[in-house]
Amino acid sequence: MGNILEICVDSLASARAAIAGGADRLELCSALIAGGLTPYEMLLRQIREESDIAVRCLMRPRAGDFLYTPEEIAMLARQIRQLKDAGADGFVIGCLNPEGHLDRAAMEPLIAACGGSGITLHRCIDVSRDPVQTYLEAGALGIDTVLTSGAAPSCVLGQQTIERLIALRDARGGPEVLIGAGVNDKVIRKFRADCPGARAFHMSGKQDVESGMVFRREGVPMGLPGLDEWHNPQTSPEAVKAARRALDA
């Protein structure tokens, strides 16, 4: 398998920037500020009108933990089928049980709904009880990619665990290890130097874009108090281009 540069986006503007920068694949979501939630079907359709780039949709019904109710699982399965019909190539899923292990019973209906599409296990692995065991169980379920920071706040801090997962990938033919959390061109160069098997990276490459609002009423937050609502995070094509160069060097 060759190198993969996946860009996480939650808007058409960010998708365009990622494509212009040389992304191989998009992870499409909404509400990146909350860690990413299930994306809007119409946003996927807008992207499909402009590009045939590979798109995997994040399936996460809410912020918080990855312990989902039967009703949430049923909703996710239905949304997967709808997004697949709208042009998604794959999906990014993950469910844990109360003890912090991968919840096979919850995962199986989601995998079935994917219907053979590509599947990434998302960063639920990073808050699971045993990330190595979670990785192995993901492979046993037929999942082709695992997105991880190495169970750490950033991939640089989790590098030792990531390297262990890459070794398992190579030894057992396991899922691709998609390195995320804090990725930029410098981080990619570091991983490539330290661990030649590192070949798949996930990043948002965000920059703050100034709001076009001239009139700004302060002190009336629409969400979390203190949230800056006059700057919109968007993917920077320059950041993606720099990452592309670092990955392909």
Side-chain angles (χ1 to χ4, degrees):
M1 184 178 292
N3 297 335
I4 299 172
L5 180 61
E6 179 180 271
I7 308 300
C8 185
V9 302
D10 63 358
S11 68
L12 182 59
S14 286
R16 286 169 171 166
I19 294 166
D24 296 302
R25 186 169 71 206
L26 305 181
E27 183 195 78
L28 184 63
C29 65
S30 64
L32 261 177
I33 198 166
L37 303 177
T38 302
Y40 306 108
E41 177 186 338
M42 189 50 62
L43 175 56
L44 174 59
R45 292 188 182 277
Q46 286 181 317
I47 293 169
R48 277 287 167 257
E49 288 174 358
E50 299 188 7
S51 175
D52 61 357
I53 190 172
V55 177
R56 293 195 176 188
C57 292
L58 174 64
M59 306 309 301
R60 187 176 178 220
R62 53 167 173 76
D65 62 39
F66 302 106
L67 177 63
Y68 296 127
T69 66
E71 293 80 8
E72 287 173 324
I73 294 297
M75 179 181 69
L76 287 171
R78 185 171 182 178
Q79 289 175 317
I80 285 171
R81 290 189 287 268
Q82 291 174 331
L83 289 163
K84 187 175 181 181
D85 289 342
D89 301 290
F91 298 91
V92 183
I93 63 175
C95 311
L96 299 178
N97 66 24
E99 297 303 315
H101 301 295
L102 202 61
D103 189 338
R104 188 183 187 103
M107 294 283 289
E108 285 178 345
L110 302 184
I111 292 171
C114 292
S117 299
I119 301 176
T120 300
L121 179 72
H122 60 47
R123 290 188 61 208
C124 71
I125 187 176
D126 293 326
V127 292
S128 67
R129 183 178 291 271
D130 183 343
V132 171
Q133 183 62 32
T134 300
Y135 174 83
L136 294 173
E137 291 176 359
L141 285 171
I143 291 169
D144 63 63
T145 302
V146 173
L147 170 62
T148 182
S149 66
S154 72
C155 62
V156 172
L157 294 176
Q159 183 170 337
Q160 185 174 3
T161 298
I162 291 171
E163 290 180 358
R164 186 176 178 190
L165 297 181
I166 289 172
L168 281 172
R169 178 201 71 191
D170 294 343
R172 302 192 180 201
E176 182 60 86
V177 178
L178 182 61
I179 301 165
V183 169
N184 55 32
D185 59 310
K186 297 179 180 64
V187 169
I188 291 173
R189 289 191 184 92
K190 172 178 170 53
F191 267 91
R192 298 283 278 173
D194 295 346
C195 180
R199 63 193 183 196
F201 293 86
H202 168 101
M203 61 181 281
S204 62
K206 294 189 297 291
Q207 63 180 351
D208 285 335
V209 177
E210 183 80 16
S211 168
M213 287 295 297
V214 176
F215 173 74
R216 302 183 181 188
R217 187 181 299 280
E218 303 292 345
V220 187
M222 295 294 108
L224 293 173
L227 187 67
D228 181 358
E229 294 172 340
W230 309 117
H231 293 85
N232 300 313
Q234 288 183 10
T235 298
S236 161
E238 289 75 23
V240 179
K241 288 176 184 177
R244 178 84 266 168
R245 289 192 297 268
L247 183 55
D248 293 341

